[in-house]
Amino acid sequence: YKGVICLDPYPEQESLAPLVAVVDFGCGNLYSVCRACNVAGLRATLATTPDALTNASAVIIPGVGAFGDAMHTLRKRGLDVAIWNYVATGRPVVGICLGIQLLMSDSYEFGHYNGLGLVPGTVVRFPSSLANGTRLRIPHVQWNTIHPAMPNCGTSPRPWHTTLLSGLVSGDYMYFVHSYYVHLENAEPLAITSYGETTFCAALQYNNI
């Protein structure tokens, strides 16, 4: 798929639209992410080799899949080093769902695996029960609200106006489907959500990530 432009609705503006490389690690919601980019007026290309990231204006690491399998494929294709080098250029990198988890130091999904280590943090599973012994349904599958992590930001009508969450306000709903979440170290979440008795990072902003 290298170099293929997915579903570009504006071919006459192709040379003007920013190029976004969607990292292909053998699974993931590639079609949905490419389609979303195209609807937003971006050119989306699937990146299966390191070279595909070179000229991109931004890189997206999509979701869906198992952490260990995804990291294995990234390393096999040399995309782990390519992502590291890309981050060092200062251009934006976006992780979605599993994509945000892959950016962490390590994960405990179906074993213990090292991640890309670009954001200090660990991927852990939701507890299966509450403090009173009531079982908690896992995975977390539902619409749920997001809130600013910093309390003083929540009083602003536009708490995220300088971020990718611009236009959203505290209490807006997002759809979640996951059994694991990221536990950050030495970094503040951009947005938080609660499920059961756990308040977790729903979104983060870490330098150009």
Side-chain angles (χ1 to χ4, degrees), residues 21-26 47-54 56 58-62 70-96 98-104 115-119 206 208-209:
V22 180
V23 177
D24 182 356
F25 47 79
T48 60
T49 66
D51 290 345
L53 274 60
T54 303
V59 164
I60 295 177
I61 308 173
M71 282 304 307
H72 174 76
T73 302
L74 288 176
R75 293 190 181 101
K76 182 179 179 181
R77 295 179 177 178
L79 287 167
D80 57 335
V81 175
I83 293 170
W84 260 93
N85 292 337
Y86 189 92
V87 169
T89 69
R91 286 173 288 178
V93 174
V94 177
I96 303 171
L98 174 61
I100 193 175
Q101 297 180 4
L102 294 171
L103 295 167
M104 300 297 121
L116 292 170
L118 288 163
V119 179
Y206 189 77
N208 55 312
I209 296 174

Side-chain angles (χ1 to χ4, degrees), residues 16-207:
L16 301 177
L19 177 66
V20 176
V22 180
V23 177
D24 182 356
F25 47 79
C27 51
N29 52 345
L30 301 174
Y31 177 89
S32 298
V33 174
C34 287
R35 180 60 181 167
C37 288
N38 297 151
V39 169
L42 306 171
R43 287 183 296 150
T45 181
L46 294 182
T48 60
T49 66
D51 290 345
L53 274 60
T54 303
N55 297 319
S57 298
V59 164
I60 295 177
I61 308 173
V64 183
F67 189 101
D69 293 341
M71 282 304 307
H72 174 76
T73 302
L74 288 176
R75 293 190 181 101
K76 182 179 179 181
R77 295 179 177 178
L79 287 167
D80 57 335
V81 175
I83 293 170
W84 260 93
N85 292 337
Y86 189 92
V87 169
T89 69
R91 286 173 288 178
V93 174
V94 177
I96 303 171
C97 196
L98 174 61
I100 193 175
Q101 297 180 4
L102 294 171
L103 295 167
M104 300 297 121
S105 305
D106 59 343
S107 170
Y108 286 90
E109 182 185 17
F110 305 126
H112 183 214
Y113 300 94
N114 291 326
L116 292 170
L118 288 163
V119 179
T122 300
V123 180
V124 295
R125 195 177 192 275
F126 282 111
S128 57
S129 60
L130 305 180
N132 63 6
T134 302
R135 291 191 61 81
L136 183 67
R137 186 180 63 183
I138 306 296
H140 171 215
V141 183
Q142 65 182 68
W143 289 96
N144 206 338
T145 55
I146 60 171
H147 303 275
M150 304 300 289
N152 59 325
C153 293
T155 61
S156 169
R158 296 192 303 156
W160 296 301
H161 69 280
T162 60
T163 76
L164 285 180
L165 300 184
S166 177
L168 301 179
V169 297
S170 181
D172 275 352
Y173 281 85
M174 291 289 179
Y175 195 72
F176 292 84
V177 183
H178 62 131
S179 300
Y180 291 76
Y181 64 95
V182 299
H183 176 73
L184 297 177
E185 302 170 9
N186 304 319
E188 285 290 336
L190 181 63
I192 54 175
T193 295
S194 294
Y195 183 59
E197 296 168 337
T198 302
T199 297
F200 64 92
C201 170
L204 66 88
Q205 182 168 301
Y206 189 77
N207 299 324

